[in-house]
Amino acid sequence: MGKSRPQMTGAAAVLTALERQGVDTVFGLPGGAIMPIYDALYDSRIRHILMRHEQAAAHAADAYYRASGRCGVTFATSGPGATNLVTGLATAMMDSSALVAITGNVANPLIGTDAFQEADVYGITLPVTKHNYLVKRVEDIPRIVAEAFHIATTGRPGPVLIDIPKDVQQAPFEGSFDVTVDLPGYRPTIKGHAGQIRRAAKAIGEAKRPVMMVGGGAQASAEEVSAFVERTGIPVITTLMGIGAYPYGAPNSLGMPGMHGTVSANRAITHCDLIIGAGLRFDDRVTGKLSRFAPNATVVHIDIDPAEISKLVKAHVPVVGDLKDVLPRLADELEPLEIEEWWKQLDEWKGSYRERYKRDKPLVSQEVIEMLRDAAGGECIVTTDVGQHQMFAARLFTTNRPRSFITSGGLGTMGFGLPAAIGAAFARPDEPVVVVSGDGSIQMNIQELATVFKHQLPIVIAICNNGVLGMVRQWQEMFHAQRYSEVFLADSNPDFAKLAEAYGVEGHNVFDRDSARQAIADALAARKPVLLNCVVYESEKVFPMIPAGAGVDEMILGDQDPEDRENAQEEVVA
């Protein structure tokens, strides 16, 4: 009597279903309730990247999608493993990033008994996912995995979680993987309405002072955006999430809008008579006080998610659909816009309010970031953490390519930058990655230096170390009577260079511009992990700034005011 064929388990079925979705890379950590899947992984073709924390695994999977357009995947165990994913899921949800998270859970008979490492992951993650599942039957695995990828990657992308009890992972599986996704309640609108497109074209054609605002939804439609701009000659503003969807250095670019946006972009919003909002959600950091936002503008809002239309800014002409479909059809309805007078005004603002920073200290963050940009020559992926360095990078280390500036926009997650760099490095292995971080942010996921070292990823980690939580300090200085409450870090920061070396990563402490320039050039040329701890001026501030509750027209110009240059050496950045 011959040996019987080993029976497939639910765990093996999960991996087979993932392979059928084209998954080749997963970021995660094993644990008790997901051990059957990790056991099956031992025989799988799927590459697993062992991270050091589940939050970091989620950020890496998130960035894998943002850098490549391919859905990211993360694994975690039950209880704390799954709850550690929550920040990563919320970050992906806010920034419309496609990832599928698979968590193990305690066996079905133990659910609801407060078993070891049990948590209601389905309930906990419901508000921070586009959709989630609790798998009760092993035969449902192929269908649920297929649906999860369909939901995550179509319409407005977002995270989907699949929670699988341990007994379902261990159960024998005999079903089929040939499944058809049929979700009657989920039909994203891709094709824009012809009548609305004609209405939009009429409004745009009649405008004298139009602008196009491009958001993160345009990262997958960069060619269509550029073609539309070339056809019409319209000026373009790119939000933080839209950086790279239209070349920042192009003549029609006005830069980033909002709280720390450029003077040119914010003044254009205030004085325009029409806005095309393309794949953005008009969040509060972009609009400032809503009643003062673009007071004279007709708003044409194009978005694949109908829930975003008129949610915050009233859309006079709503167009629901994919930019890939809508923008070419809209361009076909239009001739080049006759807006020469408007461009004269815009060019005057662009010329008067170029990026400036003072160089009266041994080293400042803007200078470090400018050196990184110049040394990289535009051929790298940039990830950032959250804080002053993020805003400096958004204006000084921009990219002309889509999917190449990766940051946490909506949730503003400190600790995002380093694991995001790991995900981006695996998504685009032939490209260097630069992390711009701060001494506060980097310590929130610094354990991932171990992952960087293990895989010898070509990641340069540049810490703009001002010894404080810089953005909080700036607000305390400007709006809280200089009461610097609990922002000082310098008295207990580690020696970051030595810490990097403890992980096996080359590290350098940098204190002045000459050594910074050389260290940055060497680091980027090395094509290996390098950490640069750049000690910068403590009291830096990011300007322009729109105070909380103020309008876009109420910017504080600060050091970006060309008429306020007392005793300052200045560098004008093109």
Side-chain angles (χ1 to χ4, degrees):
M1 188 174 176
K3 291 182 179 179
S4 61
R5 183 182 178 186
Q7 194 169 40
M8 178 177 276
T9 64
V14 170
L15 295 172
T16 300
L18 291 177
E19 289 172 359
R20 289 202 162 208
Q21 294 297 323
V23 174
D24 59 11
T25 305
V26 172
F27 304 87
L29 276 87
I34 199 169
M35 283 184 68
I37 288 178
Y38 272 84
D39 184 69
L41 188 65
Y42 200 77
D43 299 318
S44 171
R45 297 193 302 271
I46 293 175
R47 172 177 58 176
H48 181 268
I49 309 303
L50 177 63
M51 305 292 287
R52 298 302 192 268
H53 193 282
E54 291 86 355
Q55 179 189 341
H59 291 327
D62 175 349
Y64 183 89
Y65 167 75
R66 299 197 204 199
S68 67
R70 303 189 299 274
C71 188
V73 182
T74 184
F75 288 170
T77 191
S78 63
T83 56
N84 282 344
L85 289 179
V86 169
T87 299
L89 294 172
T91 302
M93 186 71 176
M94 289 287 276
D95 290 345
S96 305
S97 184
L99 73 87
V100 170
I102 294 178
T103 51
N105 207 337
V106 300
N108 271 301
L110 294 175
I111 289 178
T113 67
D114 295 334
F116 178 66
Q117 292 192 332
E118 184 200 358
D120 178 11
V121 175
Y122 179 87
I124 289 169
T125 61
L126 190 63
V128 294
T129 52
K130 188 176 176 183
H131 195 64
N132 62 5
Y133 293 90
L134 174 61
V135 183
K136 304 291 285 186
R137 304 186 314 161
V138 68
E139 57 266 36
D140 291 337
I141 286 173
R143 173 184 60 79
I144 287 175
V145 170
E147 289 178 359
F149 276 79
H150 178 70
I151 293 169
T153 58
T154 57
R156 179 179 179 174
V160 177
L161 181 134
I162 306 172
D163 194 32
I164 311 177
K166 192 170 184 178
D167 57 326
V168 175
Q169 299 173 46
Q170 294 169 321
F173 175 82
E174 296 178 342
S176 170
F177 290 93
D178 294 325
V179 295
T180 300
V181 174
D182 182 20
L183 299 169
Y186 178 71
R187 295 279 191 273
T189 300
I190 305 300
K191 189 176 175 60
H193 189 279
Q196 291 300 92
I197 291 174
R198 284 194 295 273
R199 282 186 62 202
K202 183 174 186 299
I204 296 166
E206 293 173 351
K208 302 300 181 188
R209 301 184 305 280
V211 294
M212 182 178 192
M213 296 183 67
V214 174
Q219 292 290 351
S221 307
E223 289 184 12
E224 288 77 9
V225 171
S226 291
F228 183 84
V229 176
E230 185 175 351
R231 169 74 173 178
T232 60
I234 195 168
V236 180
I237 294 168
T238 45
T239 70
L240 180 64
M241 301 309 301
I243 291 173
Y246 181 74
Y248 206 83
N252 286 48
S253 174
L254 302 181
M256 185 175 75
M259 179 171 281
H260 293 295
T262 67
V263 176
S264 304
N266 284 336
R267 288 198 173 170
I269 289 170
T270 299
H271 294 278
C272 71
D273 64 358
L274 180 135
I275 288 176
I276 305 172
L280 79 163
R281 57 188 179 85
F282 291 111
D283 75 278
D284 60 302
R285 288 294 173 116
V286 165
T287 64
K289 187 176 184 178
L290 277 171
S291 62
R292 300 181 73 98
F293 179 76
N296 303 310
T298 296
V299 175
V300 176
H301 194 176
I302 309 167
D303 204 286
I304 202 165
D305 183 355
E308 291 298 338
I309 303 291
S310 294
K311 186 177 80 175
L312 293 168
V313 172
K314 177 179 171 54
H316 301 92
V317 185
V319 184
V320 178
D322 192 326
L323 293 176
K324 280 185 174 298
D325 171 76
V326 175
L327 287 179
R329 294 168 61 199
L330 188 56
D332 288 344
E333 300 274 345
L334 289 165
E335 299 294 331
L337 301 174
E338 297 178 0
I339 53 174
E340 291 78 9
E341 289 301 315
W342 179 226
W343 265 116
K344 286 180 183 176
Q345 177 63 78
L346 297 172
D347 287 338
E348 181 184 329
W349 288 332
K350 288 177 70 174
S352 298
Y353 296 99
R354 301 174 71 180
E355 295 283 350
R356 292 173 166 83
Y357 60 85
K358 296 178 180 177
R359 298 206 310 166
D360 53 353
K361 300 292 184 294
L363 197 59
V364 296
S365 292
Q366 298 100 313
E367 195 170 17
V368 170
I369 292 167
E370 187 187 21
M371 290 177 188
L372 288 164
R373 180 199 63 199
D374 292 346
E379 297 300 322
C380 70
I381 302 169
V382 181
T383 73
T384 83
D385 270 305
V386 171
Q388 290 179 312
H389 64 273
Q390 180 192 31
M391 294 296 102
F392 289 139
R395 298 216 309 258
L396 292 168
F397 202 173
T398 54
T399 172
N400 289 331
R401 301 179 302 163
R403 299 191 180 281
S404 298
F405 187 90
I406 298 173
T407 191
S408 172
L411 199 64
T413 306
M414 295 173 69
F416 176 81
L418 180 55
I422 294 169
F426 280 104
R428 286 157 56 178
D430 297 328
E431 297 185 36
V433 183
V434 176
V435 183
V436 181
S437 187
D439 52 317
S441 284
I442 194 66
Q443 295 186 76
M444 293 192 177
N445 264 316
I446 201 165
Q447 76 286 344
E448 298 307 328
L449 285 173
T451 312
V452 173
F453 167 73
K454 177 178 178 178
H455 297 279
Q456 285 298 295
L457 300 172
I459 295 175
V460 174
I461 303 145
I463 302 172
C464 296
N465 180 354
N466 57 7
V468 294
L469 296 170
M471 189 62 89
V472 181
R473 185 195 179 283
Q474 176 172 339
W475 281 58
Q476 290 173 338
E477 178 177 335
M478 296 178 66
F479 309 118
H480 295 271
Q482 300 182 15
R483 291 159 58 87
Y484 300 122
S485 178
E486 297 298 323
V487 292
F488 193 63
L489 304 176
D491 59 353
S492 48
N493 270 340
D495 182 323
F496 287 105
K498 288 184 177 178
L499 183 60
E501 290 168 1
Y503 278 104
V505 173
E506 182 178 323
H508 300 277
N509 291 321
V510 179
F511 299 97
D512 60 70
R513 59 180 52 92
D514 290 335
S515 54
R517 187 172 289 106
Q518 187 61 53
I520 287 169
D522 292 345
L524 279 161
R527 298 303 296 266
K528 69 175 186 177
V530 179
L531 182 146
L532 303 175
N533 173 42
C534 302
V535 179
V536 298
Y537 179 45
E538 174 186 296
S539 302
E540 293 176 337
K541 287 186 284 295
V542 185
F543 289 115
M545 180 177 186
I546 300 171
V552 167
D553 59 326
E554 297 174 296
M555 282 178 292
I556 300 172
L557 296 183
D559 61 11
Q560 299 302 297
D561 186 347
E563 297 180 0
D564 182 21
R565 311 305 306 163
E566 291 185 8
N567 303 319
Q569 293 176 278
E570 69 179 48
E571 182 82 344
V572 177
V573 181

